[in-house]
Amino acid sequence: MKTFPISNGMKYFVYGVIGVVCATIIVGFFVVGSPSEERAKQLDLRRINDLTNLQYQIINYWQAKEKLPDTLLALKDDLRGVAIPSDPETGSAYEYKIKGSNQFELCATFVRAGQGYVTPSDEWKHDAGRTCFTRTIDKDLYPPIVKQY
């Protein structure tokens, strides 16, 4: 096999290209974050989405029955396609606790602190670790459904 001599100019060019590629990758980690950081962010966003969904299912249940469900499993409804989500990373159930006749608490364990997101009636800011959100159903905003027989 015959090898060709590489000039000094070509060596510097190749080293320069390698340096630019490495610098771009390093800068990318600082701007976008590492893949593990992005994964943690996506898992936490999924947790917020799950808690939001559970919250609305609890409100719907309360409007229909004028009481809070005893457990999250009471929300499961195959006819309406309501499934009970679990933590996307661990598979464990989200925590739910009744605090009053129209007040409840939902808890999840987050990987990192975050702003979550804000909807017109809710705020989902959280720290890293176990965080609980207490919600009170406003009876004027979410009145019980009047049953017509």
Side-chain angles (χ1 to χ4, degrees):
M1 177 187 259
K2 189 174 181 182
T3 60
F4 297 97
I6 298 176
S7 69
N8 280 342
M10 184 56 92
K11 274 187 197 178
Y12 293 130
F13 176 75
V14 170
Y15 291 145
V17 169
I18 291 171
V20 168
V21 169
C22 290
T24 302
I25 290 170
I26 291 169
V27 168
F29 279 123
F30 285 108
V31 172
V32 177
S34 68
S36 63
E37 180 67 20
E38 184 60 29
R39 181 175 187 275
K41 187 192 290 186
Q42 291 303 316
L43 288 170
D44 283 348
L45 183 59
R46 168 78 184 276
R47 290 177 181 102
I48 292 293
N49 287 333
D50 288 348
L51 293 179
T52 301
N53 181 39
L54 287 170
Q55 173 181 282
Y56 285 113
Q57 293 306 323
I58 291 167
I59 291 170
N60 288 338
Y61 186 98
W62 185 89
Q63 286 182 296
K65 301 189 183 233
E66 296 186 55
K67 70 174 196 154
L68 292 170
D70 294 328
T71 68
L72 291 178
L73 291 176
L75 301 173
K76 188 174 187 299
D77 185 348
D78 293 334
L79 186 61
R80 292 186 305 135
V82 177
I84 308 306
S86 57
D87 185 276
E89 187 174 29
T90 66
S92 61
Y94 292 110
E95 295 176 54
Y96 165 73
K97 184 177 182 181
I98 297 173
K99 305 285 276 184
S101 63
N102 63 329
Q103 188 177 62
F104 61 94
E105 184 175 75
L106 288 170
C107 305
T109 301
F110 295 94
V111 177
R112 51 195 290 282
Q115 293 298 314
Y117 60 86
V118 178
T119 63
S121 61
D122 304 315
E123 196 168 326
W124 296 101
K125 289 181 183 177
H126 57 83
D127 292 324
R130 184 175 178 272
T131 304
C132 294
F133 303 93
T134 300
R135 302 292 192 234
T136 303
I137 298 173
D138 182 338
K139 295 177 184 183
D140 293 327
L141 190 58
Y142 301 104
I145 298 169
V146 178
K147 296 170 180 78
Q148 309 255 339
Y149 295 100

